[in-house]
Amino acid sequence: MRNRILSFVAVTIVSAFSGVPVSQAQSTAALQRPFWQEIGDSVLTGLIVEAQRANTDVRVAEARLDATRASRRLSAFDLAPTVTASGSALRTRQSMAQVPGLTTALPQQDLYDVGFDAAWELDLFGRTRHTVNANGALVESAEHSVDDVQLSLAAEVARNYFELRGAQRQLAVAMRNAEVQRKTVQLTQDRLAGGRGTAFDVERARSVLQLTLAAVPAFQTQIATGRNRIAVLLGRSAETIPVELMTDGSMPQLPDTVAIGSPRDVVRHRPDVLAAERQLAAQSLSLSASRAEYLPRISLAASVGYTANRIESLTRTGTSRLLVGPVVSFPLLDLGRVRQRVDFARSRENEAQAEYAATVLRAVEETESAVVTYARARERVGILTEAVASSTHASELAQERFEAGLTDFLQVLDAQRTLLDAENQLATAHTSAATALVALYKAAGRTGPNR
């Protein structure tokens, strides 16, 4: 079932890779490098490392991993003999009814006993061994779940980081354009004072300036909320924002190609798929352990010790006891309960198999969508970069022509509005492309080497 699913995935993802900037020919070392190291932003790397160390979701996942490891160690003790020590001091008196013909009450009697009891199930049919292996598979599933939480956290930190940088860039664009527009307002006022301009030009210039400044509070809000969100992801309070986020930073250089490996590697390296596969293995082993309940249990039992009616007589000759022999048990009159346990284990295996298939298909969907989204976002950045260059040149020409008296002021305002809109769109597109890149790395499971 698992191989059939992966074969289907390979064919599906190959079709999705056509015409998009992804690379399959990469070394194993490159594919195992965490995506934040691939991006090459030292601030982002530091934030992710801190988040993975202090985030509460990671601590919860690690606590679950510790619990599954303890459960496996506990089940492994069933493979070894069980030895217990016991001791008792009793005062007994038999009933007169226990001794026929007795006419007087029997005297009380003290009874002291110390010894050791041992039992060892031979596990000839693998019940205990399958249980231990099932718990081992659950440990591996929990390890991959920790990797999945860390990958999701890293992607969330990166997404919020790039959205913060994008908002900072948009704010810088707005402030830079506002400064240019202030100079334009001053120019129109000087021209009006010199009798060469009109009040209409002055008011139009002021209107454009105020519209630009009106966008500033929204960008400042995005920056503040982005910083607060990142602080929470780092396990900090909102008041302890990392100092690296208080200054502006650049957006990452978008790579021409993204190393995500072969189609089969895309699915095999995703921690959520690996966790689901280990869950399926654990449920299959649990089913085998439940089926072994139909078969006899063969154990070796032993009991050795001393029994005496006075404590000082213990360990003397004649007070020792010994019991050694095999014990065979079989659920002859309890097969109905065993059958229900098997049915329950089979249902859990079917559930895990369906969940595994759903996880694989979800991985295919996310990978296909991420590949196409990043490809189109990167194309849009290239187009808007050219649009900004043309708009900048057009705005400079319009300003020169206006100052030379070759055109009216409306063309200057129109050129400035076009430039501002193009720069805002470019900043937004670059942010979208950066977050799409993060989503692609996350879909490819680029969390670093497995445990």
Side-chain angles (χ1 to χ4, degrees), residues 254-451:
L254 299 177
D256 294 333
T257 59
V258 180
I260 62 176
S262 67
R264 188 174 291 265
D265 288 337
V266 169
V267 173
R268 279 183 168 173
H269 289 167
R270 280 181 58 120
D272 57 341
V273 174
L274 294 173
E277 191 274 332
R278 289 288 82 199
Q279 277 284 349
L280 175 56
Q283 297 306 326
S284 298
L285 289 166
S286 295
L287 176 59
S288 298
S290 297
R291 286 171 173 163
E293 296 278 358
Y294 282 118
L295 303 172
R297 294 191 189 186
I298 302 176
S299 303
L300 295 179
S303 179
V304 61
Y306 296 92
T307 303
N309 55 11
R310 292 197 305 272
I311 192 169
E312 62 271 14
S313 299
L314 288 174
T315 73
R316 290 182 180 177
T317 303
T319 62
S320 63
R321 58 177 175 81
L322 176 64
L323 176 66
V324 179
V327 177
V328 180
S329 61
F330 179 74
L332 180 62
L333 302 178
D334 202 26
L335 292 177
R337 182 178 281 110
V338 174
R339 186 179 301 110
Q340 294 308 311
R341 291 197 189 105
V342 172
D343 290 344
F344 175 77
R346 184 182 295 109
S347 299
R348 293 297 301 272
E349 183 191 36
N350 292 337
E351 177 188 355
Q353 192 173 72
E355 181 62 31
Y356 173 68
T359 303
V360 170
L361 293 176
R362 188 163 54 247
V364 174
E365 176 192 4
E366 291 178 1
T367 304
E368 289 180 343
S369 299
V371 167
V372 175
T373 300
Y374 175 66
R376 301 292 87 81
R378 187 169 167 275
E379 289 179 5
R380 190 166 186 266
V381 169
I383 294 172
L384 287 172
T385 300
E386 296 180 0
V388 167
S390 299
S391 297
T392 301
H393 189 211
S395 179
E396 293 171 352
L397 290 177
Q399 187 70 30
E400 293 174 359
R401 288 171 60 84
F402 171 70
E403 293 176 359
L406 300 177
T407 185
D408 60 11
F409 187 63
L410 185 60
Q411 291 191 10
V412 175
L413 295 178
D414 182 65
Q416 289 180 348
R417 282 196 300 267
T418 301
L419 175 59
L420 175 60
D421 181 62
E423 288 183 328
N424 278 331
Q425 287 195 49
L426 177 59
T428 302
H430 209 148
T431 302
S432 298
T435 56
L437 176 62
V438 171
L440 178 55
Y441 280 131
K442 179 178 181 292
R446 290 289 299 276
T447 184
N450 295 328
R451 295 170 182 267

